[in-house]
Amino acid sequence: MSINYSERIPNNVDLASNKSLQRALEHWQPAYLDWWNEMGPEKSQTAEVYLRTAVSVEAKGWAHFDYVKMPDYRWGIFLTPQDPQRTISFGAHKGAPVWQEVPGEYRSTLRRIIVTQGDTEPASVEQQRHLGLTCPSLYDMRNLFQVNVEEGRHLWAMVYLLHAHFGRDGREEGEALLARRSGDADNPRILTAFNEKTPDWLSFFMFTFITDRDGKYQLAALAESAFDPLSRTCRFMLTEEAHHLFVGESGIARIIQRTCELMAQHKTDDPAKIRALGAIDLPTLQKYLNFHFSVTSDLYGSEISSNAASFFTNGLKGRFNETGIADDHQLHGSEYPVMDVVGDRIVARHAPALSTLNERLRDDWVADVANGVSRWNRVPEKHGIPFRFSLPHKGFHRRIGLFAEYHVSPDGLLMSESDWTRRHGDWLPSAEDRAFVHSLMGRVAEPGKFANWIAPPATGINKQPVDFEYVRFS
Ligand SMILES: [Fe+2]
Ligand SMILES: [Fe+2]
């Protein structure tokens, strides 16, 4: 079904045929806009932004680009079309038709899963709300705002499910999603990583590269769900998510590029000299990578989890690429390696695969992050600079799971409390590092101009030139 833009809420779910659902969502819509105006990008209400809007859910050509004022963005409900043949691909119900309605016994669990996912979407908009004021270029500002409006749409995606399938409880959850605030002491967002600040553009690019990639893996696991509306919602969200990952990966690559250019030009690898030249030294970038990687690792939860096992067995949440995996999809008697601490050493052991699904999803994500990092490493390589970025050990700087009670160095050695206290400033951004990065942030809002600490992109958005006026101010 094509997207109907003549309705107040654009959708491809035939919303007009369900009047009570339509009314409930039209009631939520002004509350959403109030939230956007209060917590969305600061001082951006009148800017005209060159944004893409979904006009179809087909794999090719779903995007339409035009200037839009963000409060006028047509947030809507877009699901990948239903496959009437689709059956449950894993767990105890494997082979049965997928569910179009929520089974009573899984109602509260599914609601919790949807709310937890949904909560991350407005959280990231809140975390990023000041960044427009310090954008390194109009191109970057446009990308930030694109990410922001799409995270807003992802909230719509989850609130639609709550309204359509969870009755009054769902409507109450929809209101609570607009009431929590990232970093708020009394009513914070659900997950810790979404209460951290995103205070500068280096953090933003790391966040979109690393934490949006957690989003990709969570959505991919939910796209396997036996609850078909959730699966279809997540499938379309994944197509939007790909751009967020691009923004992060290319953003960091451009920072590395600029730093390497200056290092080559001035024949130096001295961080103090690089900083004096107004760029971010590579060791500082590595510290930010360590920080965002470790904080995001925690989002996958404990290595051993009976919740993850029951989500899988009950068909609520699959593995990444579940249908592409060649096994029984029920994990009877199979095992998966997890880490363990024995005495003063970290060792690998095998545990029942069903209980290690969090760890497995984390491993899939780690491999994907590592691929991105190796693409970054081509930049110093190309400049003849020996520095290489690397991911810290999975146990480094963790607050959740097996490693929460230990201190682990980036190369995987257990450390004493006092050694950690002495050394962690070498591995995580210090207050001084953050202050330096912060000092570089200043708004560059002239077409084709870029802040000194970041290289221009190789190409523009939607085949537009790099010096295109991506944001217009009236
Ligand atoms: Fe999202
Ligand atoms: Fe995202």
Side-chain angles (χ1 to χ4, degrees):
M1 189 174 184
S2 63
I3 294 176
N4 185 347
Y5 270 92
S6 66
E7 292 185 46
R8 257 173 72 183
I9 301 170
N11 69 92
N12 71 342
V13 294
D14 195 15
L15 195 56
S17 71
N18 186 338
K19 289 294 172 203
S20 65
L21 175 59
Q22 187 178 33
R23 264 197 305 276
L25 284 164
E26 286 180 354
H27 186 71
W28 186 79
Q29 190 175 36
Y32 170 81
L33 285 170
D34 286 348
W35 166 81
W36 179 270
N37 285 320
E38 185 195 328
M39 295 310 295
E42 205 180 344
K43 297 205 176 95
S44 66
Q45 264 76 345
T46 59
E48 296 186 329
V49 189
Y50 187 68
L51 293 177
R52 71 174 183 185
T53 303
V55 286
S56 122
V57 292
E58 304 310 318
K60 285 200 174 106
W62 59 267
H64 169 77
F65 284 81
D66 207 349
Y67 286 100
V68 183
K69 288 180 184 164
M70 282 186 287
D72 301 335
Y73 188 79
R74 300 300 308 277
W75 285 286
I77 299 158
F78 315 127
L79 275 64
T80 295
Q82 191 174 336
D83 168 7
Q85 310 300 327
R86 186 171 173 251
T87 56
I88 301 171
S89 58
F90 62 96
H93 308 291
K94 183 173 173 270
V98 290
W99 317 318
Q100 299 306 327
E101 290 300 331
V102 179
E105 66 267 43
Y106 305 140
R107 193 179 164 85
S108 64
T109 311
L110 267 173
R111 191 181 80 199
R112 192 70 196 156
I113 289 172
I114 292 167
V115 166
T116 304
Q117 177 61 43
D119 194 67
T120 66
E121 314 290 357
S124 61
V125 175
E126 292 165 359
Q127 288 170 293
Q128 295 160 13
R129 73 177 299 255
H130 304 299
L131 293 174
L133 305 179
T134 56
C135 62
S137 71
L138 285 185
Y139 166 90
D140 290 292
M141 184 189 237
R142 176 257 164 231
N143 286 350
L144 165 72
F145 290 162
Q146 182 73 60
V147 170
N148 293 159
V149 293
E150 287 176 352
E151 300 306 2
R153 205 206 68 72
H154 292 176
L155 173 60
W156 271 94
M158 293 295 134
V159 167
Y160 164 72
L161 294 177
L162 291 167
H163 275 228
H165 299 279
F166 295 87
R168 183 214 277 249
D169 294 346
R171 292 193 292 278
E172 285 173 1
E173 295 285 13
E175 284 165 29
L177 282 162
L178 296 177
R180 285 185 286 273
R181 292 286 182 271
S182 177
D184 190 283
D186 300 321
N187 195 12
R189 292 293 171 186
I190 295 169
L191 300 169
T192 309
F194 290 87
N195 287 299
E196 300 277 353
K197 285 197 168 69
T198 309
D200 55 65
W201 280 76
L202 175 54
S203 301
F204 170 68
F205 290 134
M206 285 292 179
F207 186 98
T208 41
F209 172 69
I210 292 177
T211 312
D212 280 67
R213 196 175 307 273
D214 163 64
K216 168 184 165 182
Y217 280 82
Q218 300 297 341
L219 292 174
L222 295 175
E224 303 289 345
S225 181
F227 179 41
D228 201 41
L230 174 60
S231 163
R232 292 166 52 210
T233 297
C234 290
R235 281 172 208 274
F236 188 66
M237 290 165 75
L238 279 166
T239 66
E240 294 168 312
E241 205 60 54
H243 179 64
H244 309 179
L245 302 179
F246 159 80
V247 168
E249 181 172 334
S250 60
I252 299 291
R254 290 163 49 213
I255 297 176
I256 299 170
Q257 167 84 21
R258 179 63 183 144
T259 302
C260 289
E261 284 167 6
L262 288 168
M263 288 172 74
Q265 195 183 331
H266 294 266
K267 299 190 176 48
T268 182
D269 60 1
D270 178 359
K273 285 192 182 139
I274 311 292
R275 288 187 177 198
L277 291 165
I280 307 172
D281 53 290
L282 303 179
T284 297
L285 296 177
Q286 176 69 55
K287 287 186 188 181
Y288 273 72
L289 174 60
N290 292 345
F291 175 78
H292 286 268
F293 178 77
S294 56
V295 167
T296 306
S297 273
D298 278 342
L299 289 172
Y300 292 86
S302 292
E303 290 80 358
I304 303 291
S305 165
S306 58
N307 272 344
S310 76
F311 292 174
F312 182 85
T313 299
N314 295 334
L316 310 183
K317 184 178 177 183
R319 291 170 291 178
F320 178 68
N321 190 28
E322 182 68 48
T323 42
I325 299 172
D327 66 9
D328 69 352
H329 300 279
Q330 292 179 319
L331 303 177
H332 292 312
S334 65
E335 294 189 325
Y336 191 80
V338 289
M339 290 181 196
D340 210 349
V341 176
V342 176
D344 60 357
R345 288 189 323 129
I346 297 169
V347 297
R349 70 175 172 99
H350 278 77
L354 259 184
S355 64
T356 60
L357 289 164
N358 285 344
E359 184 68 359
R360 182 175 179 133
L361 194 59
R362 179 165 29 236
D363 286 342
D364 289 331
W365 165 83
V366 170
D368 200 14
V369 177
N371 283 335
V373 171
S374 63
R375 288 189 292 272
W376 289 345
N377 278 334
R378 290 185 203 144
V379 182
E381 194 183 338
K382 203 178 64 195
H383 286 83
I385 292 167
F387 189 97
R388 296 292 179 268
F389 294 96
S390 59
L391 290 179
H393 187 271
K394 270 197 288 183
F396 172 75
H397 188 233
R398 294 288 303 280
R399 298 242 166 83
I400 288 179
L402 165 71
F403 293 107
E405 54 190 295
Y406 298 99
H407 294 300
V408 180
S409 68
D411 50 7
L413 293 175
L414 286 169
M415 304 177 72
S416 68
E417 178 88 41
S418 59
D419 280 351
W420 172 260
T421 305
R422 203 163 44 79
R423 302 268 341 252
H424 76 267
D426 297 343
W427 303 320
L428 292 167
S430 63
E432 191 220 328
D433 295 328
R434 290 191 181 278
F436 169 71
V437 170
H438 187 79
S439 75
L440 294 180
M441 300 294 128
R443 183 176 167 113
V444 177
E446 204 182 313
K449 292 270 191 297
F450 288 80
N452 178 59
W453 51 269
I454 189 166
T459 53
I461 292 294
N462 193 34
K463 304 201 177 84
Q464 297 290 0
V466 170
D467 63 0
F468 185 71
E469 192 174 15
Y470 288 103
V471 184
R472 289 180 189 151
F473 304 96
S474 44

